[in-house]
Every structure is written in C-alpha cells, then in structure tokens.
Amino acid sequence: MNKKIVVFTGAGISAESGLGTFRDSGGIWEKFRIEDVCTPDAWHTNPECCVEFYNLRRRDTLAAEPNMAHFAITKLQEVFPNTQIITQNIDNLHERAGSNNVLHLHGEITKLRSQKDPSALVELEGWEQHYGERHADGSILRPHIVFFGEDVPNFTLACEIASQADIMIVIGTSLNVYPAASLLTYAPVSAEIYLIDPNEPTLGCYADRVGFIQAKATEGVPALVDALIETYQ
Ligand code: NAD
C-alpha cells in the first residue's frame, strides 16, 4: 500500500496505559507547576527538582504497557509501510508496541543529553537519573526533554513529513502546545484528516476538514485502522 499516512499523537493515546495527560482534570499540571520543572529557568535555578519530576515520569513510563491504540498503529504500519508517527509524547510506548518511524517532537524520557550538545544523547539504565552525573564532554547531563520555551528541533522535519500526507490521523491531543499543534496546517488540502479524542479540541477553520471521531484511543484507533485497511487494501 503506497498511501502516505502520518499519525500524530499526544498524551491522550497513553492515558489508558495509565500515563496522566497534562491538561485534563487530575492531570500532571494540577500537581506540578510548569515553571518549577519544565523550563530553562527551572533547570538553571533548581535542577534537582526537574530531575525528580522527570524521574517520576520515567518510573511511570517504564511501569506502563502499550495499549490497543499503540498496537493498532503498529498494525497500520505493517499494511501501509509509508506510515510515519510523529508524537508529542516523551514516553516510549509506540516503540514498545513494535512501531518504527517514530519522530519525537518533545524529547524522550528514557534518554539524557549533554548540556553542550543537544544531539549528544545517552540512554539511561532504569528510571533514576542522579543529578550531577556528567556527559563524556564534561557537562552535567540533563533530561532529553524539550522544555517549554525551547526550540523544537524536529519540528521542521515533522512539517516536511506532514506536507506529504495522503492521510493524517491525530490522536489524543488538546492542540494547545505550539508549534506542535500547528502541524495540521501543513497537511495538503487533498489529505484526509481524522481526529480521535473523547473531547473535541478547538479546530477553528479546520473544523470542516477534519473527520472528528469522539472516542477513547483504545476504541477509536483500532476501528479507524480496520476501516482504512478495508477501504484501501
Ligand atoms: P494534553 O494533556 O494537552 O491533551 C490531552 C488530550 O488527550 C486531550 O484532548 C484529552 O481530551 C485527550 N484524551 C484524554 N484521554 C484520552 C483517551 N483515553 N484517548 C484519547 N484521547 C484522550 O496533551 P498534548 O496535547 O499531548 O500536549 C501536552 C504536552 O504534554 C505534550 O507536549 C506532551 O509531550 C506532554 N505529555 C506527554 C505525556 C506522555 O509522554 N505520555 C504525558 C503527558 C504530557
């Protein structure tokens, strides 16, 4: 199957794996303040607190399992090899469900990086980073996370990929975090766009172009994948 499919995921796809979303009630930001743990300023003024926050996220991620939505996307990739996943998530549940071609916009929780060179990554064993450990280049390691207010280095590539989509499937994102949220605008006018979320995000001028499927990811994604396979295979 030659269709180019772009799957764009947010925190909602991992919610049913037990990983909290950021903005829903009971979400992570009700327990932490962004400015305390997830900004360049926070890293400079209280890095131990940032490390602790991401240690907890990493511990939760390693304890979680991929769900039926992650597995359905892997099935989609098997039928449509030109399927690219672009995720805002820092967890590794797409990869652990067997998916490939996963582009992380906001970093990866299982990795640390040099402060001098953002591309110098180190895989962390286990869940716990000990603040003060150094990269081989001498700088203190920081979580491989794009903090709020930092550039999103993979965004340019993500836009290129989105601009070639025949089909775009958007799952579990409030479309509140920019620039990621603007990825939809890069899909060609001819692209079919689907959005799966139990709550309808504000789509503005895109409302007419998007097939909104009001469902949880574990219900909506397998059903859409089966429908696409039946339609195009
Ligand atoms: P968000 O918290 O702003 O929005 C979550 C969206 O998921 C909402 O629209 C909500 O209605 C929807 N949702 C809730 N339960 C769902 C379900 N069962 N199935 C499908 N959708 C469901 O998240 P966002 O838009 O991804 O943006 C927030 C930022 O938070 C991202 O940058 C991301 O990196 C980060 N984040 C990542 C993780 C993770 O890696 N698992 C978890 C929390 C936050």
PDB file of all heavy atoms in Angstrom, residues 178-196:
ATOM      1  N   TYR A 178       2.266  24.715  21.188  1.00  0.00           N
ATOM      2  CA  TYR A 178       2.839  25.121  19.896  1.00  0.00           C
ATOM      3  C   TYR A 178       4.351  25.024  19.933  1.00  0.00           C
ATOM      4  O   TYR A 178       4.936  25.132  21.000  1.00  0.00           O
ATOM      5  CB  TYR A 178       2.399  26.563  19.573  1.00  0.00           C
ATOM      6  CG  TYR A 178       0.969  26.590  19.087  1.00  0.00           C
ATOM      7  CD1 TYR A 178      -0.083  26.623  19.998  1.00  0.00           C
ATOM      8  CD2 TYR A 178       0.685  26.537  17.725  1.00  0.00           C
ATOM      9  CE1 TYR A 178      -1.401  26.604  19.550  1.00  0.00           C
ATOM     10  CE2 TYR A 178      -0.631  26.528  17.275  1.00  0.00           C
ATOM     11  CZ  TYR A 178      -1.655  26.558  18.198  1.00  0.00           C
ATOM     12  OH  TYR A 178      -2.948  26.529  17.748  1.00  0.00           O
ATOM     13  N   PRO A 179       5.018  24.786  18.777  1.00  0.00           N
ATOM     14  CA  PRO A 179       4.435  24.755  17.436  1.00  0.00           C
ATOM     15  C   PRO A 179       3.749  23.435  17.078  1.00  0.00           C
ATOM     16  O   PRO A 179       3.119  23.352  16.021  1.00  0.00           O
ATOM     17  CB  PRO A 179       5.645  24.977  16.531  1.00  0.00           C
ATOM     18  CG  PRO A 179       6.786  24.371  17.268  1.00  0.00           C
ATOM     19  CD  PRO A 179       6.502  24.626  18.728  1.00  0.00           C
ATOM     20  N   ALA A 180       3.870  22.386  17.916  1.00  0.00           N
ATOM     21  CA  ALA A 180       3.356  21.068  17.528  1.00  0.00           C
ATOM     22  C   ALA A 180       1.915  21.143  17.033  1.00  0.00           C
ATOM     23  O   ALA A 180       1.551  20.526  16.020  1.00  0.00           O
ATOM     24  CB  ALA A 180       3.468  20.109  18.711  1.00  0.00           C
ATOM     25  N   ALA A 181       1.092  21.936  17.728  1.00  0.00           N
ATOM     26  CA  ALA A 181      -0.332  21.967  17.406  1.00  0.00           C
ATOM     27  C   ALA A 181      -0.596  22.457  15.984  1.00  0.00           C
ATOM     28  O   ALA A 181      -1.652  22.177  15.416  1.00  0.00           O
ATOM     29  CB  ALA A 181      -1.061  22.851  18.411  1.00  0.00           C
ATOM     30  N   SER A 182       0.352  23.178  15.408  1.00  0.00           N
ATOM     31  CA  SER A 182       0.117  23.723  14.060  1.00  0.00           C
ATOM     32  C   SER A 182       0.450  22.715  12.957  1.00  0.00           C
ATOM     33  O   SER A 182       0.337  23.045  11.778  1.00  0.00           O
ATOM     34  CB  SER A 182       0.938  25.004  13.861  1.00  0.00           C
ATOM     35  OG  SER A 182       2.311  24.698  13.892  1.00  0.00           O
ATOM     36  N   LEU A 183       0.835  21.498  13.345  1.00  0.00           N
ATOM     37  CA  LEU A 183       1.234  20.505  12.329  1.00  0.00           C
ATOM     38  C   LEU A 183       0.119  20.235  11.315  1.00  0.00           C
ATOM     39  O   LEU A 183       0.392  20.015  10.135  1.00  0.00           O
ATOM     40  CB  LEU A 183       1.635  19.193  13.027  1.00  0.00           C
ATOM     41  CG  LEU A 183       2.539  18.275  12.217  1.00  0.00           C
ATOM     42  CD1 LEU A 183       3.888  18.934  11.947  1.00  0.00           C
ATOM     43  CD2 LEU A 183       2.746  16.964  12.948  1.00  0.00           C
ATOM     44  N   LEU A 184      -1.121  20.276  11.781  1.00  0.00           N
ATOM     45  CA  LEU A 184      -2.271  20.035  10.880  1.00  0.00           C
ATOM     46  C   LEU A 184      -2.249  20.980   9.686  1.00  0.00           C
ATOM     47  O   LEU A 184      -2.668  20.615   8.594  1.00  0.00           O
ATOM     48  CB  LEU A 184      -3.576  20.272  11.634  1.00  0.00           C
ATOM     49  CG  LEU A 184      -4.270  19.083  12.286  1.00  0.00           C
ATOM     50  CD1 LEU A 184      -3.490  18.630  13.490  1.00  0.00           C
ATOM     51  CD2 LEU A 184      -5.678  19.470  12.678  1.00  0.00           C
ATOM     52  N   THR A 185      -1.782  22.191   9.914  1.00  0.00           N
ATOM     53  CA  THR A 185      -1.847  23.195   8.845  1.00  0.00           C
ATOM     54  C   THR A 185      -0.892  22.847   7.698  1.00  0.00           C
ATOM     55  O   THR A 185      -0.990  23.427   6.626  1.00  0.00           O
ATOM     56  CB  THR A 185      -1.512  24.615   9.362  1.00  0.00           C
ATOM     57  OG1 THR A 185      -0.148  24.621   9.787  1.00  0.00           O
ATOM     58  CG2 THR A 185      -2.407  25.016  10.514  1.00  0.00           C
ATOM     59  N   TYR A 186       0.035  21.907   7.942  1.00  0.00           N
ATOM     60  CA  TYR A 186       0.982  21.531   6.890  1.00  0.00           C
ATOM     61  C   TYR A 186       0.471  20.388   6.015  1.00  0.00           C
ATOM     62  O   TYR A 186       1.076  20.066   5.005  1.00  0.00           O
ATOM     63  CB  TYR A 186       2.340  21.151   7.503  1.00  0.00           C
ATOM     64  CG  TYR A 186       3.030  22.356   8.093  1.00  0.00           C
ATOM     65  CD1 TYR A 186       2.755  22.771   9.388  1.00  0.00           C
ATOM     66  CD2 TYR A 186       3.921  23.106   7.331  1.00  0.00           C
ATOM     67  CE1 TYR A 186       3.352  23.898   9.925  1.00  0.00           C
ATOM     68  CE2 TYR A 186       4.528  24.240   7.855  1.00  0.00           C
ATOM     69  CZ  TYR A 186       4.234  24.624   9.150  1.00  0.00           C
ATOM     70  OH  TYR A 186       4.813  25.746   9.668  1.00  0.00           O
ATOM     71  N   ALA A 187      -0.646  19.772   6.405  1.00  0.00           N
ATOM     72  CA  ALA A 187      -1.196  18.680   5.584  1.00  0.00           C
ATOM     73  C   ALA A 187      -1.737  19.266   4.286  1.00  0.00           C
ATOM     74  O   ALA A 187      -2.354  20.336   4.290  1.00  0.00           O
ATOM     75  CB  ALA A 187      -2.314  17.975   6.347  1.00  0.00           C
ATOM     76  N   PRO A 188      -1.514  18.584   3.149  1.00  0.00           N
ATOM     77  CA  PRO A 188      -2.045  19.104   1.887  1.00  0.00           C
ATOM     78  C   PRO A 188      -3.570  19.210   1.941  1.00  0.00           C
ATOM     79  O   PRO A 188      -4.215  18.479   2.696  1.00  0.00           O
ATOM     80  CB  PRO A 188      -1.635  18.042   0.862  1.00  0.00           C
ATOM     81  CG  PRO A 188      -0.632  17.177   1.512  1.00  0.00           C
ATOM     82  CD  PRO A 188      -0.813  17.298   2.984  1.00  0.00           C
ATOM     83  N   VAL A 189      -4.125  20.105   1.138  1.00  0.00           N
ATOM     84  CA  VAL A 189      -5.581  20.300   1.115  1.00  0.00           C
ATOM     85  C   VAL A 189      -6.285  18.994   0.734  1.00  0.00           C
ATOM     86  O   VAL A 189      -7.406  18.715   1.172  1.00  0.00           O
ATOM     87  CB  VAL A 189      -5.948  21.419   0.101  1.00  0.00           C
ATOM     88  CG1 VAL A 189      -7.442  21.647   0.045  1.00  0.00           C
ATOM     89  CG2 VAL A 189      -5.216  22.699   0.468  1.00  0.00           C
ATOM     90  N   SER A 190      -5.602  18.176  -0.078  1.00  0.00           N
ATOM     91  CA  SER A 190      -6.223  16.923  -0.534  1.00  0.00           C
ATOM     92  C   SER A 190      -6.190  15.822   0.539  1.00  0.00           C
ATOM     93  O   SER A 190      -6.818  14.778   0.364  1.00  0.00           O
ATOM     94  CB  SER A 190      -5.468  16.426  -1.770  1.00  0.00           C
ATOM     95  OG  SER A 190      -4.096  16.263  -1.426  1.00  0.00           O
ATOM     96  N   ALA A 191      -5.463  16.029   1.636  1.00  0.00           N
ATOM     97  CA  ALA A 191      -5.306  14.946   2.635  1.00  0.00           C
ATOM     98  C   ALA A 191      -6.604  14.701   3.400  1.00  0.00           C
ATOM     99  O   ALA A 191      -7.340  15.631   3.718  1.00  0.00           O
ATOM    100  CB  ALA A 191      -4.186  15.303   3.606  1.00  0.00           C
ATOM    101  N   GLU A 192      -6.845  13.410   3.684  1.00  0.00           N
ATOM    102  CA  GLU A 192      -7.943  13.074   4.618  1.00  0.00           C
ATOM    103  C   GLU A 192      -7.383  13.272   6.021  1.00  0.00           C
ATOM    104  O   GLU A 192      -6.281  12.790   6.311  1.00  0.00           O
ATOM    105  CB  GLU A 192      -8.306  11.590   4.519  1.00  0.00           C
ATOM    106  CG  GLU A 192      -8.954  11.134   3.248  1.00  0.00           C
ATOM    107  CD  GLU A 192      -9.066   9.583   3.223  1.00  0.00           C
ATOM    108  OE1 GLU A 192      -9.449   8.974   4.233  1.00  0.00           O
ATOM    109  OE2 GLU A 192      -8.720   9.015   2.177  1.00  0.00           O
ATOM    110  N   ILE A 193      -8.121  13.968   6.872  1.00  0.00           N
ATOM    111  CA  ILE A 193      -7.646  14.162   8.252  1.00  0.00           C
ATOM    112  C   ILE A 193      -8.694  13.613   9.219  1.00  0.00           C
ATOM    113  O   ILE A 193      -9.880  13.933   9.107  1.00  0.00           O
ATOM    114  CB  ILE A 193      -7.398  15.658   8.573  1.00  0.00           C
ATOM    115  CG1 ILE A 193      -6.462  16.282   7.535  1.00  0.00           C
ATOM    116  CG2 ILE A 193      -6.818  15.818   9.978  1.00  0.00           C
ATOM    117  CD1 ILE A 193      -6.197  17.776   7.743  1.00  0.00           C
ATOM    118  N   TYR A 194      -8.241  12.780  10.152  1.00  0.00           N
ATOM    119  CA  TYR A 194      -9.120  12.250  11.202  1.00  0.00           C
ATOM    120  C   TYR A 194      -8.570  12.671  12.548  1.00  0.00           C
ATOM    121  O   TYR A 194      -7.347  12.763  12.728  1.00  0.00           O
ATOM    122  CB  TYR A 194      -9.164  10.714  11.143  1.00  0.00           C
ATOM    123  CG  TYR A 194      -9.659  10.179   9.831  1.00  0.00           C
ATOM    124  CD1 TYR A 194      -8.763   9.842   8.814  1.00  0.00           C
ATOM    125  CD2 TYR A 194     -11.023  10.023   9.594  1.00  0.00           C
ATOM    126  CE1 TYR A 194      -9.211   9.365   7.595  1.00  0.00           C
ATOM    127  CE2 TYR A 194     -11.476   9.546   8.363  1.00  0.00           C
ATOM    128  CZ  TYR A 194     -10.571   9.212   7.377  1.00  0.00           C
ATOM    129  OH  TYR A 194     -11.022   8.750   6.168  1.00  0.00           O
ATOM    130  N   LEU A 195      -9.469  12.911  13.487  1.00  0.00           N
ATOM    131  CA  LEU A 195      -9.023  13.266  14.841  1.00  0.00           C
ATOM    132  C   LEU A 195      -9.804  12.426  15.850  1.00  0.00           C
ATOM    133  O   LEU A 195     -11.036  12.438  15.842  1.00  0.00           O
ATOM    134  CB  LEU A 195      -9.257  14.761  15.084  1.00  0.00           C
ATOM    135  CG  LEU A 195      -8.615  15.343  16.345  1.00  0.00           C
ATOM    136  CD1 LEU A 195      -8.307  16.808  16.140  1.00  0.00           C
ATOM    137  CD2 LEU A 195      -9.520  15.190  17.561  1.00  0.00           C
ATOM    138  N   ILE A 196      -9.079  11.681  16.672  1.00  0.00           N
ATOM    139  CA  ILE A 196      -9.723  10.809  17.654  1.00  0.00           C
ATOM    140  C   ILE A 196      -9.437  11.345  19.048  1.00  0.00           C
ATOM    141  O   ILE A 196      -8.266  11.463  19.456  1.00  0.00           O
ATOM    142  CB  ILE A 196      -9.195   9.363  17.525  1.00  0.00           C
ATOM    143  CG1 ILE A 196      -9.513   8.812  16.135  1.00  0.00           C
ATOM    144  CG2 ILE A 196      -9.789   8.468  18.621  1.00  0.00           C
ATOM    145  CD1 ILE A 196      -8.815   7.501  15.805  1.00  0.00           C
TER     146      ILE A 196
END
